[in-house]
Amino acid sequence: EPEVTQTPSHQVTQMGQEVILRCVPISNHLYFYWYRQILGQKVEFLVSFYNNEISEKSEIFDDQFSVERPDGSNFTLKIRSTKLEDSAMYFCASSINAGGIADTQYFGPGTRLTVL
Amino acid sequence: RKEVEQDPGPFNVPEGATVAFNCTYSNSASQSFFWYRQDCRKEPKLLMSVYSSGNEDGRFTAQLNRASQYISLLIRDSKLSDSATYLCVVNMGYGGATNKLIFGTGTLLAVQP
């Protein structure tokens, strides 16, 4: 069964450093997403990406965040200068289409980011 | 009012029990609805989509009441393996390029032997 993969599983970084989280979506999916979950809190939407551009972003997704699809398979989330409050689990998701009941989002296993 | 509201639990039930979870959502323009399951420190996994007519998948039954903006999940004959956090999820998208999922905080279920 196809699945979304993410690397690394755990990233530890110092405050102010740049991090890049990587995702390989399911191969025939066209829509890509990043969500985050701070420990003990709910899953929160960060950004959606389609046709090589951001289609929607949340208030959390400020100028420190960027996304990219550098090749035909990878989808990355970059945090330019990490803050302590960026510590969270980051989930990548993908879907075939957008909207409607049939367009299920499938989640990767997540990258746990710890900012010291 | 929270966008998606759930009772956080925990629900502690014996094996074989029937348990029901409820969820309300605030935005009447919401288009599609789901229950996801999340095990501790794992990713959310789709349990089932929720249709207006109600739908069933084995021991799981989901109901949607658009007028009341209310979603429910019923689990019959609980198994130990059902222990997890159940996430009520709403999708604002309707075609096009936006497809944002709004998650509730989740309801923790602990099935006891």
Side-chain angles (χ1 to χ4, degrees):
Chain A
E1 183 179 321
E3 55 184 23
V4 177
T5 60
Q6 291 185 242
T7 54
S9 56
H10 191 189
Q11 174 90 47
V12 182
T13 189
Q14 295 289 326
M15 192 168 55
Q17 295 296 304
E18 174 183 287
V19 294
I20 298 176
L21 310 183
R22 292 184 166 78
C23 168
V24 179
I26 295 172
S27 62
N28 63 333
H29 286 190
L30 301 177
Y31 295 80
F32 315 116
Y33 314 86
W34 285 101
Y35 293 81
R36 81 169 186 192
Q37 186 175 31
I38 295 170
L39 188 64
Q41 298 186 24
K42 65 178 182 178
V43 178
E44 298 175 291
F45 169 79
L46 290 178
V47 65
S48 58
F49 190 86
Y50 168 69
N51 200 25
N52 282 318
E53 60 184 30
I54 290 173
S55 46
E56 188 172 4
K57 60 184 181 180
S58 71
E59 291 176 355
I60 303 166
F61 194 89
D62 61 21
D63 292 345
Q64 293 300 312
F65 290 88
S66 62
V67 289
E68 194 177 32
R69 188 153 161 84
D71 53 43
S73 59
N74 289 285
F75 177 52
T76 62
L77 174 70
K78 182 194 291 187
I79 309 175
R80 264 181 272 284
S81 177
T82 49
K83 305 182 184 72
L84 295 176
E85 55 264 36
D86 293 328
S87 295
M89 182 75 98
Y90 288 81
F91 294 110
C92 174
S94 69
S95 65
I96 295 175
N97 287 314
I101 272 184
D103 300 319
T104 301
Q105 293 185 29
Y106 295 90
F107 284 75
T111 293
R112 179 165 300 282
L113 176 65
T114 302
V115 182
L116 303 176
Chain B
R1 186 179 171 186
K2 290 181 185 176
E3 290 180 290
V4 179
E5 198 148 4
Q6 297 181 251
D7 181 343
F11 282 50
N12 294 301
V13 303
E15 267 187 293
T18 295
V19 61
F21 303 137
N22 303 316
C23 167
T24 57
Y25 60 96
S26 60
N27 193 327
S28 60
S30 302
Q31 293 296 328
S32 51
F33 310 89
F34 308 90
W35 284 100
Y36 276 73
R37 169 195 169 128
Q38 186 175 32
D39 292 291
C40 189
R41 296 184 177 242
K42 300 287 189 181
E43 74 273 25
K45 290 189 176 177
L46 180 71
L47 181 66
M48 57 197 305
S49 302
V50 188
Y51 305 106
S52 295
S53 55
N55 50 301
E56 188 174 310
D57 183 2
R59 297 182 293 111
F60 299 85
T61 301
Q63 298 274 354
L64 166 65
N65 184 323
R66 282 188 183 268
S68 303
Q69 295 178 207
Y70 172 90
I71 307 162
S72 66
L73 175 69
L74 185 76
I75 305 175
R76 288 180 299 277
D77 189 22
S78 301
K79 312 287 184 197
L80 293 175
S81 57
D82 293 333
S83 297
T85 296
Y86 289 82
L87 307 175
C88 179
V89 183
V90 170
N91 188 338
M92 292 295 300
Y94 189 71
T98 180
N99 196 22
K100 177 172 70 173
L101 294 182
I102 308 295
F103 285 78
T105 51
T107 299
L108 179 62
L109 173 66
V111 181
Q112 313 289 340

